[in-house]
Amino acid sequence: MTSPSLRLSPGEDARLAGDEGPAVALAMGIVVRMAEILGARELVEIASSHIDGCLYHGDGGVEFAERLVDLGGAVVVPATLNVGALDLLNPARVRSQGHKREMALRLMRAYQALGCTPTWTCAPYQAGHRPALGEHVAWGESNAVAFANSVLGARTNRYGDFMDICCAIAGRAPRTGLHLRERRRATVVVDTGRVDPDLKRRDVFYPVLGTWLGATVDDRVAVVTGLPGTVSEDQLKAVGAAAASAGAVGLFHVEGVTPEAPDLETALGGAAPQTVLTPNPRELRIVRDTLSTAASGPIDAVAVGSPHFSLQEFRHLDKLLPATPFAVPFYVCTGRSEYRQLEASGHLSRFLGAGVEIVVDTCVVVTPILPPQGGVLMTNSGKFAHYTPANTGYGVVYGSLEDCVSSAIRARVSRDECLWS
């Protein structure tokens, strides 16, 4: 029996009652219960899902996915898969063995058996999964959620493990939070007018802005003003990834850039902002420094690609590759779609010849790939910088992609400080 405040359609009632099979009934029951907890008045039909629950964290997740398979479960909307715990194209790259490896593989296979597309990427929007403006979806993976809401203008909350696959099987999600138009308007204005225009043109600025944003606004919706109209998708994905890691940001707007913010008035929904924030260069420099636990000295590895490296980022890296191999391991994490396009174009050998180790289907922060002795990792990713120490035991240094390449050549931290001074 559902809460009297939650109204279900006759079709939804039938799914809940088991008319479409036990897997649908189980999934629908979880969606309905979550809707009741969140205070939703109704459910919303979704057009797609991105599943975060395929990364192995313990046997319970495997048992849940396999239970859905045993009950005859299948997704009823297009559903892509987030990273798993294995690189299925290069199995020897991951050091996990025995029970953990077996269960990680079982989990990945179970989600495929449910009808999900094996994209194995945290950036499904780079693999062609791009919902339309205003379309309701149920996405997991915090950076993907921020990108879907902010850059594409789709509507999703931050769906976690189990809930994401239940929404995909039920075809429904609670109509609450960022599914509601009124919850999507900005209440915070972030004015970047005091930031050096040259810095705002550089990729290295955007993970820092995102980290500051997440730590400052938490789950409120902000509209950022003063960014150049040329800001790229990769720069926006870096903002969202860092903001979602440092806080609970699921949606941000950029005036004149993102689809729900053609101007400031529209982003604010015609209302006055509750808060106006003006980050200054000193604040941002402090935030940048918090992304590093080791400021100088030797490094033991470089890792980039969180979110997964795009083709444009590979093109940028290609221009920076040294004539001789790097002095330390240089990992690039990417999705299968980008990897296959590199193969098809003939450019893959260029990176492999330079000593770049390309990780597919997973990433170095969620599965044991880095050398086991530990050390210091350098990255250009705000998300990697946030999670590396706790997840891997490595210290971390944040810098630009150019800094990462320069440091990997020397096996020591080498950073361009001019724009941060």
Side-chain angles (χ1 to χ4, degrees), residues 19-302:
D19 289 11
E20 296 185 23
V24 174
L26 174 59
M28 194 70 171
I30 292 172
V31 172
V32 165
R33 182 63 184 129
M34 186 59 70
E36 292 172 337
I37 291 170
L38 295 172
R41 291 175 172 265
E42 59 187 357
L43 305 181
V44 61
E45 184 175 358
I46 61 168
S48 73
S49 190
H50 180 64
I51 309 300
D52 190 37
C54 45
L55 176 62
Y56 176 70
H57 292 296
D59 290 359
V62 183
E63 293 165 1
F64 182 77
E66 290 182 340
R67 176 65 173 158
L68 290 171
V69 174
D70 291 343
L71 292 174
V75 297
V76 296
V77 295
T80 46
L81 291 173
N82 197 43
V83 296
L86 300 173
D87 181 339
L88 297 179
L89 299 186
N90 304 283
R93 196 181 297 285
V94 177
R95 294 195 314 275
S96 63
Q97 298 295 330
H99 181 76
K100 286 186 176 180
R101 192 179 190 93
E102 176 191 353
M103 296 301 278
L105 184 58
R106 280 174 54 179
L107 182 61
M108 295 171 82
R109 286 174 172 168
Y111 276 102
Q112 284 190 252
L114 291 169
C116 302
T117 304
T119 46
W120 309 124
T121 180
C122 57
Y125 42 86
Q126 294 173 178
H129 189 177
R130 298 172 71 91
L133 176 65
E135 199 165 56
H136 293 279
V137 298
W139 279 29
E141 213 308 305
S142 60
N143 102 81
V145 168
F147 192 97
N149 277 317
S150 309
V151 183
L152 302 179
R155 298 186 178 189
T156 181
N157 289 315
R158 289 170 56 135
Y159 290 102
D161 295 5
F162 309 152
M163 186 64 179
D164 48 16
I165 189 62
C166 287
C167 290
I169 291 173
R172 297 291 188 277
R175 188 188 288 273
T176 187
L178 295 175
H179 289 289
L180 303 173
R181 178 176 297 179
E182 62 270 21
R183 294 289 298 275
R184 298 179 66 83
R185 70 174 183 87
T187 60
V188 179
V189 172
V190 175
D191 178 2
T192 64
R194 297 178 64 184
V195 180
D196 186 335
D198 286 340
L199 181 58
K200 288 190 284 190
R201 284 192 283 270
R202 305 290 184 90
D203 293 344
V204 71
F205 168 68
Y206 290 89
V208 176
L209 175 63
T211 301
W212 176 90
L213 189 68
T216 306
V217 307
D218 195 27
D219 64 346
R220 292 178 292 172
V221 178
V223 54
V224 183
T225 68
L227 295 184
T230 55
V231 63
S232 70
E233 273 202 3
D234 285 324
Q235 290 168 340
L236 292 173
K237 84 174 181 181
V239 173
S245 300
V249 172
L251 166 64
F252 65 92
H253 303 292
V254 177
E255 182 188 17
V257 175
T258 55
E260 295 175 83
D263 51 56
L264 187 59
E265 182 179 9
T266 302
L268 292 166
Q274 296 175 7
T275 309
V276 177
L277 302 171
T278 309
N280 61 54
R282 180 177 176 276
E283 284 180 88
L284 293 172
R285 173 64 183 260
I286 291 171
V287 170
R288 188 208 68 158
D289 290 346
T290 66
L291 291 173
S292 299
T293 60
S296 61
I299 63 168
D300 300 279
V302 167

